[in-house]
Amino acid sequence: MKFRTLKPFLFFAAVTIIGLACKEAPSQIETPLEQKSNPVSTEEIATEKVILNPAHGEPAHRCDIAVGQPLNSKPAKEDLSNINPAHGQPGHRCDVPVGAPLPI
């Protein structure tokens, strides 16, 4: 009969020992303030979630921005200095279609 009265106590003791053994020591637990020594700026938070423009033909690719640039970038301005202007405009060449790059 003594064993029956000891069973609950032994069970409680075993659960307590296992529970304490599985916990980390308080000095090893990092708090959110200790994770970074420098304060996090809003720029750092914004850049962590930036999605880059994938290669041509990949899903979500944008042709108006360069591959590898953030998808929320503004389109790069076209360099129109090497484009054949309309007929009658200065620099127009009739042997090259209007809007096509001019040969160098």
Side-chain angles (χ1 to χ4, degrees), residues 50-51 62 65 69-74:
V50 171
I51 300 171
R62 285 181 48 195
I65 59 174
Q69 293 296 314
L71 282 176
N72 60 355
S73 298
K74 293 182 181 177

Side-chain angles (χ1 to χ4, degrees), residues 10 19 22 26 37:
L10 292 175
C22 292
S37 58

